[in-house]
Short mmCIF file of all heavy atoms in Angstrom, two decimals:
data_model
loop_
_atom_site.label_atom_id
_atom_site.label_comp_id
_atom_site.label_asym_id
_atom_site.label_seq_id
_atom_site.Cartn_x
_atom_site.Cartn_y
_atom_site.Cartn_z
N MET P 169 139.18 82.83 122.70
CA MET P 169 139.18 82.72 121.27
C MET P 169 139.56 81.29 120.79
O MET P 169 138.91 80.98 119.76
CB MET P 169 140.16 83.80 120.72
CG MET P 169 140.10 83.86 119.23
SD MET P 169 138.50 84.15 118.41
CE MET P 169 138.25 85.79 118.81
N ARG P 170 140.57 80.71 121.37
CA ARG P 170 140.95 79.39 120.85
C ARG P 170 139.79 78.35 120.98
O ARG P 170 139.58 77.47 120.36
CB ARG P 170 142.23 78.91 121.65
CG ARG P 170 143.47 79.78 121.32
CD ARG P 170 144.66 79.20 122.16
NE ARG P 170 145.76 80.13 122.04
CZ ARG P 170 146.61 80.11 121.01
NH1 ARG P 170 146.48 79.20 120.11
NH2 ARG P 170 147.63 81.03 120.99
N ARG P 171 139.05 78.64 122.16
CA ARG P 171 137.86 77.72 122.43
C ARG P 171 136.78 77.99 121.40
O ARG P 171 136.21 77.11 120.81
CB ARG P 171 137.34 77.93 123.86
CG ARG P 171 136.25 76.98 124.21
CD ARG P 171 135.56 77.42 125.58
NE ARG P 171 134.80 78.57 125.45
CZ ARG P 171 133.53 78.55 124.96
NH1 ARG P 171 132.95 77.37 124.60
NH2 ARG P 171 132.86 79.69 124.89
N VAL P 172 136.55 79.26 121.18
CA VAL P 172 135.35 79.62 120.28
C VAL P 172 135.56 79.15 118.92
O VAL P 172 134.63 78.66 118.28
CB VAL P 172 135.25 81.18 120.26
CG1 VAL P 172 134.19 81.58 119.19
CG2 VAL P 172 134.73 81.68 121.68
N ILE P 173 136.83 79.17 118.40
CA ILE P 173 136.96 78.81 116.99
C ILE P 173 136.92 77.30 116.73
O ILE P 173 136.89 76.82 115.62
CB ILE P 173 138.37 79.35 116.49
CG1 ILE P 173 139.53 78.79 117.10
CG2 ILE P 173 138.37 80.88 116.43
CD1 ILE P 173 140.84 79.15 116.66
N CYS P 174 136.90 76.47 117.91
CA CYS P 174 136.73 75.05 117.83
C CYS P 174 135.32 74.57 118.10
O CYS P 174 135.09 73.36 118.25
CB CYS P 174 137.72 74.34 118.72
SG CYS P 174 139.49 74.63 118.17
N LEU P 175 134.36 75.57 118.24
CA LEU P 175 133.00 75.23 118.67
C LEU P 175 132.36 74.58 117.38
O LEU P 175 132.76 74.78 116.30
CB LEU P 175 132.20 76.41 118.97
CG LEU P 175 132.49 77.09 120.42
CD1 LEU P 175 131.70 78.42 120.46
CD2 LEU P 175 132.07 76.17 121.50
N PRO P 176 131.31 73.68 117.63
CA PRO P 176 130.52 73.27 116.41
C PRO P 176 129.94 74.39 115.80
O PRO P 176 129.62 75.47 116.36
CB PRO P 176 129.45 72.37 117.13
CG PRO P 176 129.43 72.79 118.53
CD PRO P 176 130.82 73.21 118.87
N ILE P 177 129.67 74.31 114.56
CA ILE P 177 129.14 75.33 113.57
C ILE P 177 127.81 75.10 113.07
O ILE P 177 127.37 73.95 112.87
CB ILE P 177 130.20 75.64 112.52
CG1 ILE P 177 130.18 74.46 111.51
CG2 ILE P 177 131.49 76.13 113.01
CD1 ILE P 177 130.91 74.85 110.22
N TRP P 178 127.08 76.17 112.81
CA TRP P 178 125.87 76.14 112.04
C TRP P 178 125.98 76.97 110.80
O TRP P 178 126.43 78.03 110.82
CB TRP P 178 124.69 76.75 112.87
CG TRP P 178 123.35 76.55 112.17
CD1 TRP P 178 122.56 75.57 112.32
CD2 TRP P 178 122.79 77.47 111.17
NE1 TRP P 178 121.38 75.81 111.57
CE2 TRP P 178 121.54 76.90 110.84
CE3 TRP P 178 123.13 78.73 110.75
CZ2 TRP P 178 120.72 77.58 109.88
CZ3 TRP P 178 122.33 79.27 109.72
CH2 TRP P 178 121.08 78.65 109.43
N VAL P 179 125.72 76.29 109.66
CA VAL P 179 125.80 76.92 108.36
C VAL P 179 124.65 76.40 107.54
O VAL P 179 124.46 75.16 107.39
CB VAL P 179 127.19 76.60 107.69
CG1 VAL P 179 127.48 75.13 107.57
CG2 VAL P 179 127.26 77.25 106.24
N ASP P 180 123.80 77.27 107.01
CA ASP P 180 122.56 76.83 106.43
C ASP P 180 122.67 75.88 105.29
O ASP P 180 121.71 74.99 105.07
CB ASP P 180 121.74 78.13 106.05
CG ASP P 180 122.25 78.87 104.97
OD1 ASP P 180 123.43 78.68 104.57
OD2 ASP P 180 121.57 79.84 104.47
N ALA P 181 123.72 76.00 104.41
CA ALA P 181 123.88 75.11 103.29
C ALA P 181 123.91 73.69 103.72
O ALA P 181 123.40 72.86 103.00
CB ALA P 181 125.04 75.54 102.46
N LEU P 182 124.52 73.36 104.93
CA LEU P 182 124.70 72.06 105.32
C LEU P 182 123.68 71.56 106.31
O LEU P 182 123.30 70.43 106.45
CB LEU P 182 126.12 71.80 105.79
CG LEU P 182 127.22 72.18 104.91
CD1 LEU P 182 128.57 72.02 105.59
CD2 LEU P 182 127.18 71.34 103.70
N CYS P 183 123.34 72.61 107.25
CA CYS P 183 122.43 72.25 108.42
C CYS P 183 120.92 72.25 108.18
O CYS P 183 120.18 71.96 108.97
CB CYS P 183 122.86 73.05 109.56
SG CYS P 183 124.63 72.89 110.13
N ILE P 184 120.57 72.73 106.94
CA ILE P 184 119.19 72.73 106.58
C ILE P 184 119.07 71.83 105.34
O ILE P 184 119.84 71.90 104.43
CB ILE P 184 118.66 74.12 106.19
CG1 ILE P 184 118.80 75.08 107.33
CG2 ILE P 184 117.24 74.14 105.66
CD1 ILE P 184 118.31 76.54 107.04
N ASN P 185 118.13 70.91 105.41
CA ASN P 185 117.84 70.12 104.25
C ASN P 185 117.15 70.99 103.12
O ASN P 185 115.95 71.10 103.17
CB ASN P 185 116.91 68.89 104.67
CG ASN P 185 116.71 67.88 103.44
OD1 ASN P 185 117.19 68.07 102.39
ND2 ASN P 185 115.95 66.85 103.78
N GLN P 186 117.89 71.41 102.19
CA GLN P 186 117.46 72.29 101.16
C GLN P 186 116.47 71.73 100.37
O GLN P 186 115.69 72.47 99.63
CB GLN P 186 118.69 72.85 100.41
CG GLN P 186 119.73 73.56 101.19
CD GLN P 186 119.26 74.91 101.75
OE1 GLN P 186 118.45 75.47 101.27
NE2 GLN P 186 119.91 75.35 102.87
N ALA P 187 116.35 70.35 100.26
CA ALA P 187 115.45 69.73 99.33
C ALA P 187 113.96 69.62 99.95
O ALA P 187 113.07 69.31 99.25
CB ALA P 187 115.83 68.44 98.93
N ASP P 188 113.99 69.77 101.30
CA ASP P 188 112.65 69.63 101.99
C ASP P 188 112.11 71.13 102.26
O ASP P 188 112.53 71.81 103.13
CB ASP P 188 112.98 68.98 103.41
CG ASP P 188 111.66 68.73 104.17
OD1 ASP P 188 110.65 69.46 103.88
OD2 ASP P 188 111.69 67.83 105.04
N LEU P 189 111.14 71.43 101.42
CA LEU P 189 110.56 72.89 101.34
C LEU P 189 109.98 73.24 102.78
O LEU P 189 110.00 74.32 103.14
CB LEU P 189 109.59 73.04 100.29
CG LEU P 189 110.17 72.90 98.84
CD1 LEU P 189 109.08 73.11 97.76
CD2 LEU P 189 111.43 73.77 98.65
N ALA P 190 109.27 72.21 103.37
CA ALA P 190 108.56 72.49 104.62
C ALA P 190 109.61 72.75 105.74
O ALA P 190 109.53 73.73 106.45
CB ALA P 190 107.72 71.36 104.99
#
Side-chain angles (χ1 to χ4, degrees):
M169 178 58 73
R170 295 178 188 276
R171 185 190 73 81
V172 169
I173 62 176
C174 294
L175 286 174
I177 64 168
W178 186 90
V179 54
D180 65 352
L182 305 178
C183 297
I184 298 177
N185 183 358
Q186 301 291 332
D188 186 335
L189 296 183

